[in-house]
Amino acid sequence: MKSRLIKLFKKNETLDLKNLHCISFWTTGLNNEAQKDDILKLRMHDKVYLIREPKDTSDPNTIAVKTKNGASLGFVGKYRATKLAPLLDKNKVMPLAYIIDLKSDLKEDVFGVKIAIPMENATFKRFTRKGIDLSFNIETSDNGNPYLLLNCE
């Protein structure tokens, strides 16, 4: 599987993600201005890298998401990292993903990066589940009113 994906990535720099099975999700842990500045430089379909951080004392499944220049784009969320970390460790999934969306809050400050990780069908099935994948943010308007922003996929 690894050699097949490596050939695929080397052969086609502008990979059509629609022809592969992909899991996609928003990164977590974007909370400082430097990260926001790095996000503003991103383009759709840019490559990003999944960097394992097994020595993280808070969670040995930690997976950082970084650009080719090493800029942090946050982390894989805990639920997905629990499933994805062992697959990365065993080279069953390439440590490569693509940016497929960016998001911002009510004040139009960019703060989210959505990535897609291509993988083979058998590996992909580990990540699919019945039901709705629901993510949300709670934002406060300028006048102090809270808003629940839903992103249903």
Side-chain angles (χ1 to χ4, degrees):
M1 186 284 226
K2 183 178 175 184
S3 63
R4 191 174 123 199
L5 281 177
I6 289 172
K7 286 178 189 172
L8 187 66
F9 291 130
K10 286 182 179 177
K11 215 174 14 176
N12 186 357
E13 287 296 317
T14 57
L15 183 63
D16 181 5
L17 296 176
K18 293 176 187 171
N19 294 329
L20 290 175
H21 293 284
C22 294
I23 59 165
S24 63
F25 51 86
W26 295 97
T27 63
T28 63
L30 289 169
N31 55 10
N32 66 48
E33 289 302 315
Q35 288 174 313
K36 290 177 186 176
D37 290 342
D38 290 331
I39 292 170
L40 291 171
K41 298 173 188 170
L42 299 175
R43 301 282 181 255
M44 296 297 287
H45 303 122
D46 278 356
K47 289 181 187 180
V48 294
Y49 301 90
L50 306 173
I51 310 298
R52 285 282 288 118
E53 296 182 354
K55 294 181 182 177
D56 185 316
T57 56
S58 64
D59 184 0
N61 292 314
T62 299
I63 303 169
V65 179
K66 299 195 177 205
T67 67
K68 66 180 176 182
N69 297 328
S72 175
L73 301 177
F75 299 89
V76 173
K78 196 171 213 155
Y79 170 79
R80 288 183 178 93
T82 301
K83 291 183 172 186
L84 190 58
L87 297 172
L88 285 166
D89 293 343
K90 294 175 185 173
N91 295 318
K92 293 190 179 215
V93 173
M94 296 294 294
L96 180 66
Y98 293 87
I99 295 172
I100 60 170
D101 203 357
L102 300 171
K103 70 178 176 179
S104 64
D105 62 8
L106 293 174
K107 297 176 185 173
E108 297 181 357
D109 292 327
V110 175
F111 69 92
V113 177
K114 188 173 188 178
I115 62 172
I117 304 171
M119 60 184 63
E120 294 214 343
N121 188 42
T123 307
F124 174 76
K125 286 181 180 179
R126 291 179 158 203
F127 289 91
T128 57
R129 60 181 180 202
K130 294 182 180 179
I132 298 172
D133 188 7
L134 178 68
S135 64
F136 65 92
N137 291 303
I138 298 175
E139 298 293 332
T140 305
S141 68
D142 290 336
N143 61 3
N145 294 326
Y147 289 91
L148 177 63
L149 305 174
L150 301 175
N151 178 22
C152 304
E153 298 187 21

